[in-house]
Amino acid sequence: MTRGPAVGRTVGVLALQGAFFAHQIAFESLGQQTIQVRNEEDLGLVDALVFPGGESTAMSHLLRTSEMFEPIQARLSEGMPAFGTCAGMIMLSTAVIDGRHDQRSFGVIDIDVQRNAYGRQIDSFETDINVEGLHEPFHASFIRAPQVVRCGSGVSVLASLADSPILVKQNSVMVAAFHPELGVDSRVHAMFLEML
Amino acid sequence: MTKNAASGATGSMNIKRGLAEMLKGGVIMDVVTPLQAKIAEDAGAIAVMALERVPADIRRDGGVARMSDPEMIEGIKAVVSIPVMAKARIGHFVEAQILEALGVDFIDESEVLTPADETHHIDKFAFTPPFVCGATNLGEALRRISEGAALIRSKGEAGTGNVVEAVRHLRNILGDIRKITQADNAELFDWAKKLGAPLPLVQEIQQTGKLQVPLFCAGGIATPADAALAMQLGAEAVFVGSGIFKSDDPAPRAKAIVEATAHFRDAKVLARVSRNLGAPMTGIGMDQINERYAERGW
């Protein structure tokens, strides 16, 4: 199942805030080079973009002040592959429940997401999950995690927890409610490289 | 560890350090009212530190500084959706138990409050929420990690608006890490002895070249340039205490520090966001202060 790096492709990791470095380590363990994306110039160099975990309100704010929302929106509408985890899932979703009034999402995957649906940090947890296409369970961390509360018919569910989708895919976009970038298991990152 | 409704384990070291990872590249702001907490969230803060007095006022007022009133912490929790942190006195594990019961997202065992125990820090493994602790050097950082801290910050000198001590502490910690990566195995025993730190943690640093948990900067940051300085020195996020709400015009300064922290290597952005912010907090020199908070804790 694990394949080598996507030859000749550059994977960008949005590096305005959050666990972007952990994503870079995960891709580099697969032999895939990555670059940090902080401005429009960086964006021009990448073929795919990863939206890391962090605080979605802070990232949404920084996308606006850094004048990055529209350029990213344009690339996504041209079909640039994207992978979002936790806050990244919130940013790629169609609608955000309990978001800030000025929080914008890119709407490139047909799901509605509720922020912090599993509770505060004292409710954050880790557990083994089964992922479609992976033979062994994946150990997943849920940190102040969002929950998918509506999933459109065009969206494929690759993993669920207690009947809630936690890893979903539509066209060239994949999002996770958990943090595959924490820990040393890069199988979910390999699944994203398969999509490129 | 306990079980969550979705039948996973809570309060593990992975989960504690995981939240610290999510805060990287961001700004954590001290706030004393719900209104300030909203201003901080609107400005793009990744978390707020709820407290009754900012360090500059604690310094001015003197007396014993303690954990904040739970009513006040809950008031702040109610108005923001970002993580809320709160401070317990060094060694005061009952204040920490109260903060845990309040559902605080991160507990700061802080030298800014008056220490409750002059020998022992809190056993941080006994708690579900993660802890952040201050350090002035690598030995202190590793002792706190061995007690269960999920995040280390420089102590700096809180409430002064003077970044000089935070710079000293970051350089101490990161400089010694760089030296240890060059040490041979025999030298590591001496490093562990000199630092007063557990040998296995020193050996791990030799292998990985980095601290076991994220390292943030705190203590004296007052301007966007201060925040970017801390980031370029190797801090992974910044705490701003008195620097925002003791300045002339807090909201624009808060936004500017958030942008400077995200774009810390981009001098053009730093020049843009540093304009027209009004006066920063006045600040004080290290020779003018009676008590160094950084000397609290051991």
Side-chain angles (χ1 to χ4, degrees):
Chain A
M1 148 95 230
T2 35
R3 199 180 59 167
V7 179
R9 301 280 193 126
T10 303
V11 172
V13 183
L14 187 65
L16 293 173
Q17 193 272 313
F20 48 85
F21 195 58
H23 274 289
Q24 291 187 283
I25 292 171
F27 281 117
E28 277 155 28
S29 76
L30 297 166
Q32 172 66 52
Q33 289 301 306
T34 59
I35 65 165
Q36 297 181 359
V37 174
R38 284 192 170 82
N39 54 43
E40 209 173 338
E41 197 178 322
D42 300 334
L43 182 65
L45 303 173
V46 305
D47 303 295
L49 189 59
V50 178
F51 296 75
E55 275 306 315
S56 62
T57 54
M59 275 189 249
S60 170
H61 175 87
L62 281 162
L63 282 171
R64 189 171 58 244
T65 58
S66 309
E67 296 175 350
M68 285 289 282
F69 191 92
E70 279 72 24
I72 290 175
Q73 180 82 283
R75 287 293 307 276
L76 288 170
S77 66
E78 290 162 10
M80 173 178 66
F83 177 29
T85 62
C86 194
M89 170 168 107
I90 295 171
M91 284 192 290
L92 292 166
S93 67
T94 297
V96 184
I97 319 290
D98 292 346
R100 284 176 46 82
H101 61 94
D102 57 349
Q103 189 166 356
R104 293 171 75 189
S105 61
F106 290 109
V108 287
I109 185 158
D110 188 17
I111 56 171
D112 295 350
V113 170
Q114 183 168 7
R115 286 183 67 212
N116 303 336
Y118 291 94
R120 302 190 73 90
Q121 173 63 10
I122 49 171
D123 307 304
S124 294
F125 62 98
E126 52 185 335
T127 192
D128 284 340
I129 60 168
N130 292 310
V131 176
E132 197 176 300
L134 299 184
H135 299 300
E136 301 292 325
F138 189 91
H139 191 71
S141 301
F142 293 79
I143 297 175
R144 291 169 49 90
Q147 197 166 27
V148 176
V149 292
R150 184 195 63 82
C151 203
S153 56
V155 176
S156 324
V157 176
L158 303 173
S160 294
L161 184 68
D163 298 328
S164 263
I166 51 171
L167 180 66
V168 298
K169 187 174 107 167
Q170 184 176 24
N171 303 320
S172 55
V173 178
M174 182 167 81
V175 294
F178 56 98
H179 290 285
E181 73 277 19
L182 298 179
V184 293
D185 188 345
S186 47
R187 287 178 296 162
V188 174
H189 287 78
M191 287 168 66
F192 178 64
L193 293 184
E194 290 278 338
M195 291 164 54
L196 304 189
Chain B
M1 284 195 282
T2 53
K3 291 280 183 179
N4 170 285
S7 80
T10 62
S12 68
M13 211 57 220
N14 277 339
I15 292 300
K16 292 176 177 178
R17 289 182 189 175
L19 180 59
E21 287 288 327
M22 299 310 139
L23 303 177
K24 283 183 177 178
V27 182
I28 301 139
M29 301 181 191
D30 278 6
V31 297
V32 300
T33 62
L35 178 65
Q36 288 187 355
K38 281 306 285 178
I39 293 172
E41 188 179 54
D42 288 347
I46 38 152
V48 290
M49 177 76 71
L51 69 180
E52 270 170 0
R53 291 178 290 171
V54 294
D57 290 337
I58 292 174
R59 204 174 271 290
R60 186 198 61 211
D61 299 347
V64 175
R66 309 177 179 89
M67 177 189 81
S68 297
D69 184 337
E71 182 81 15
M72 176 273 162
I73 294 170
E74 301 232 287
I76 286 171
K77 269 176 59 196
V79 299
V80 292
S81 65
I82 55 180
V84 175
M85 302 187 176
K87 290 182 195 289
R89 283 180 264 178
I90 289 173
H92 206 315
F93 50 86
V94 173
E95 285 188 348
Q97 288 164 6
I98 293 169
L99 295 176
E100 179 176 43
L102 292 172
V104 160
D105 296 299
F106 230 110
I107 299 174
D108 185 6
E109 187 182 16
S110 177
E111 70 284 359
V112 170
L113 305 184
T114 310
D117 188 325
E118 294 192 331
T119 310
H120 309 96
H121 281 252
I122 297 170
D123 168 16
K124 293 167 270 287
F125 289 108
F127 291 83
T128 301
F131 276 73
V132 52
C133 289
T136 60
N137 58 53
L138 182 58
E140 211 177 347
L142 293 178
R143 288 193 292 279
R144 298 295 85 79
I145 292 168
S146 71
E147 296 157 0
L151 171 62
I152 295 294
R153 55 170 173 77
S154 64
K155 284 182 174 169
E157 199 49 53
T160 61
N162 188 337
V163 80
V164 64
E165 293 299 310
V167 167
R168 188 192 319 280
H169 301 160
L170 287 175
R171 283 204 181 274
N172 279 346
I173 294 167
L174 293 163
D176 276 354
I177 289 174
R178 284 188 283 268
K179 286 180 207 154
I180 287 171
T181 60
Q182 302 300 310
D184 72 18
N185 290 344
E187 288 167 337
L188 293 185
F189 298 99
D190 189 47
W191 269 107
K193 190 177 77 180
K194 275 195 303 205
L195 293 172
L199 179 64
L201 294 184
V202 177
Q203 289 168 325
E204 205 180 337
I205 285 180
Q206 184 207 31
Q207 295 301 312
T208 63
K210 59 189 183 67
L211 208 59
Q212 285 80 358
V213 304
L215 174 65
F216 292 3
C217 180
I221 291 181
T223 67
D226 289 348
L229 174 67
M231 295 294 286
Q232 287 198 29
L233 283 170
E236 296 172 292
V238 298
F239 286 84
V240 185
S242 319
I244 290 170
F245 290 102
K246 282 286 162 189
S247 71
D248 273 5
D249 199 357
R253 180 166 298 269
K255 283 181 189 146
I257 292 177
V258 166
E259 247 187 292
T261 304
H263 298 284
F264 65 96
R265 288 192 197 283
D266 191 333
K268 285 198 179 113
V269 172
L270 300 178
R272 172 170 60 78
V273 303
S274 298
R275 282 167 209 268
N276 296 323
L277 293 178
M281 68 179 286
T282 311
I284 32 183
M286 288 307 128
D287 51 353
Q288 295 165 288
I289 59 176
N290 303 323
E291 185 174 14
R292 290 201 176 207
Y293 295 157
E295 289 168 3
R296 296 167 166 179
W298 17 89

